[in-house]
Amino acid sequence: MSASKKTARRPLLVTSATLLSLSLTSLSTLTAAPAFAAKPSPSSSASPSASPSASPSATPPATMSTVGGELLGKPGSQALLGSDAPVLPKDISARSWVVADAESGEVLAAHNAHWRLAPASTLKMLFADTLLPKFNKDDQHKVVPSDLAGVGAGSSMVGIKEDETYSVHDLWLGVFLRSGNDAVHVLSAMNGGVKRTVADMNEHAEELQALDTHAVSPDGYDAKGQVSSAYDLTLIARSGLQKKDFREYCSTVRAKFPGETKKGKNGKKSRSSFEIQNTNRLLTGASGIDSYQGIAGVKNGNTTNAGATFTGVAERDGRVLLVTVMHPEKDEHNQVYKETASLLDWGFKAAGKVTPVGELVPPKSADTSGGDAEPSAQPGATASASASGGAGGKSVAAGASGGASGIGVAAGITGGVLLLLAGGVFLVNRKWPPRLRK
């Protein structure tokens, strides 16, 4: 299989080789320093298939989890702005969102951070963070009909065919780029089945202290009782981004995917491939929206019940931010990406000018004793997996960007823009929090 387009690498984080023309909402500056607390946005009721814990109305529960800080358990927007800090964007309609520093874990601002809502395909971040260490990317699997059983009607698919053989690398490209539920189900079958995989995901969520999260399906397809929160999705993304292969797959713009084997007139079999492109519009750009300067992943989702959801990571001037947006109420094309971009812009301007309203907590088993972090002996493991023994399987070396070596990740962006993610959005550390290396 031919690898995705690759680019040169440099030793520091995400760099823009070509400046993007961004037409994002400008932010005014606050002259006082009060805490900002906006009222929750009004909206219609959620889908009847939502779990009671997912709040069937647009009103967040009065009491939510306080994991990460007391303010994060309060409804409405939470921000502690310094005198020179920009005000929060006025155009955010999402039911829930979080802006956090990916390295320090500081939550710069949040809105209904712990509201348990349907996550859609952003739940695939938990699926990937759980299963990536279990398989070698070169492992081969021949698909049988039972592997694809239970894929939900109307699911996003990458185009896997029965009786065809795919590498684990192929399957992960299908998961990250096309959000392929068929690829998720095949990997789940390789892991012992959907039931086993969901149990593993829930166990891993508990280890990460993503306690708002309950998986029912491994792919994020709408299911009764399946919930997560903007806080948890941000926490899960942070864990996943410590994996080199996770970083590479989520930052890959396009790749070749194996097609169907066909027999020619001479009886000789041949197998072609077709191109797949990442569905993350801040990475690829789309009609009416530019690729975001410094973007390097992570995952988007959209279902009837969940609406649009998205978690993105971006770097600017040496600072790495994570933003999660869940269910914007504005019914406009690509609204979830527009709101994410606006929050990222705010976060980069506000960093160092606000008092954090909480933190992204470490995994239960992480070593938080401080001191210099040492690279983990298992390159594909998260800090939590390494500490708990969950990364004891075969190491995974990502090849989504042509098999990047060392700690560099490259993503080729359309329109001639080059964005680079190098080792370190996170190093894999035995100690917590993760730190950058220069």
Side-chain angles (χ1 to χ4, degrees):
M1 173 188 143
S2 62
S4 56
K5 297 183 179 180
K6 58 184 179 179
T7 55
R9 297 167 177 80
R10 292 174 58 187
L12 297 178
L13 292 184
V14 182
T15 305
S16 173
T18 304
L19 293 178
L20 293 170
S21 297
L22 297 177
S23 55
L24 299 173
T25 306
S26 60
L27 303 176
S28 56
T29 304
L30 187 67
T31 56
F36 180 94
K39 295 181 180 179
S41 302
S43 68
S44 58
S45 296
S47 167
S49 64
S51 152
S53 62
S55 296
S57 74
T59 303
T63 302
M64 293 179 281
S65 169
T66 56
V67 171
E70 293 291 330
L71 286 177
L72 299 180
K74 296 181 179 296
S77 294
Q78 308 299 326
L80 300 172
L81 308 181
S83 59
D84 57 346
V87 296
L88 290 172
K90 303 297 185 183
D91 57 348
I92 307 302
S93 68
R95 290 186 178 183
S96 177
W97 54 261
V98 164
V99 181
D101 186 297
E103 293 185 282
S104 70
E106 293 176 346
V107 177
L108 305 184
H111 180 79
N112 300 327
H114 282 290
W115 192 358
R116 303 180 78 197
L117 299 165
S121 285
T122 47
L123 192 66
K124 288 184 174 77
M125 294 189 297
L126 176 60
F127 172 78
D129 195 37
T130 304
L131 261 64
L132 268 168
K134 295 191 176 189
F135 308 111
N136 188 291
K137 73 182 181 72
D138 296 321
D139 289 347
Q140 301 287 317
H141 179 79
K142 185 175 182 179
V143 176
V144 297
S146 60
D147 293 347
L148 300 174
V151 176
S155 288
S156 54
M157 309 279 261
V158 68
I160 289 174
K161 302 295 183 183
E162 296 175 6
D163 299 322
E164 294 286 2
T165 298
Y166 299 86
S167 69
V168 166
H169 175 69
D170 296 332
L171 296 171
W172 282 120
L173 286 173
V175 170
F176 278 92
L177 272 67
R178 294 298 303 163
S179 202
N181 289 5
D182 48 356
V184 169
H185 278 253
V186 173
L187 285 163
S188 296
M190 294 173 64
N191 187 54
V194 167
K195 185 176 180 181
R196 164 72 180 275
T197 298
V198 168
D200 288 348
M201 290 168 65
N202 285 322
E203 182 179 357
H204 188 52
E206 184 176 353
E207 159 63 19
L208 295 179
Q209 300 198 65
L211 306 182
D212 299 324
T213 300
H214 179 69
V216 177
S217 66
D219 48 25
Y221 190 84
D222 285 342
K224 184 177 181 179
Q226 182 155 271
V227 290
S228 190
S229 66
Y231 180 88
D232 278 14
L233 292 174
T234 309
L235 199 68
I236 292 163
R238 190 187 189 208
S239 175
L241 286 164
Q242 291 179 70
K243 291 181 172 68
K244 173 179 174 285
D245 45 353
F246 187 107
R247 296 195 303 269
E248 291 199 17
Y249 287 131
C250 79
S251 65
T252 299
V253 176
R254 57 177 57 84
K256 293 293 185 181
F257 193 83
E260 192 171 2
T261 300
K262 295 182 179 180
K263 186 181 292 186
K265 293 180 180 180
N266 59 0
K268 187 177 181 180
K269 292 182 179 180
S270 64
R271 191 178 187 187
S272 60
S273 61
F274 57 92
E275 185 174 277
I276 57 175
Q277 180 171 296
N278 204 309
T279 54
N280 173 355
R281 300 309 182 202
L282 286 189
L283 192 64
T284 65
S287 177
I289 187 168
D290 293 324
S291 52
Y292 188 83
Q293 181 183 355
I295 194 71
V298 175
K299 190 70 189 76
N300 56 314
N302 198 324
T303 67
T304 301
N305 185 34
T309 60
F310 180 67
T311 298
V313 62
E315 185 272 351
R316 192 174 293 174
D317 299 326
R319 187 177 295 275
V320 186
L321 296 183
L322 275 165
V323 168
T324 296
V325 171
M326 300 186 76
H327 203 149
E329 298 297 341
K330 288 183 181 178
D331 188 19
E332 297 182 13
H333 189 54
N334 288 326
Q335 185 64 27
V336 72
Y337 302 112
K338 294 173 184 177
E339 296 193 10
T340 299
S342 188
L343 287 168
L344 281 168
D345 273 3
W346 175 84
F348 286 123
K349 292 180 180 180
K353 301 175 182 178
V354 299
T355 300
V357 295
E359 65 171 348
L360 300 177
V361 295
K364 288 182 178 179
S365 58
D367 180 355
T368 58
S369 60
D372 292 335
E374 296 296 332
S376 169
Q378 175 58 269
T382 61
S384 59
S386 177
S388 64
K394 301 175 183 177
S395 64
V396 181
S401 294
S405 60
I407 56 176
V409 174
I413 306 299
T414 56
V417 176
L418 176 66
L419 298 180
L420 302 175
L421 175 63
V425 171
F426 301 97
L427 286 179
V428 180
N429 296 324
R430 290 196 183 95
K431 294 189 180 293
W432 198 267
R435 297 172 185 174
L436 291 174
R437 298 251 181 174
K438 294 186 178 180

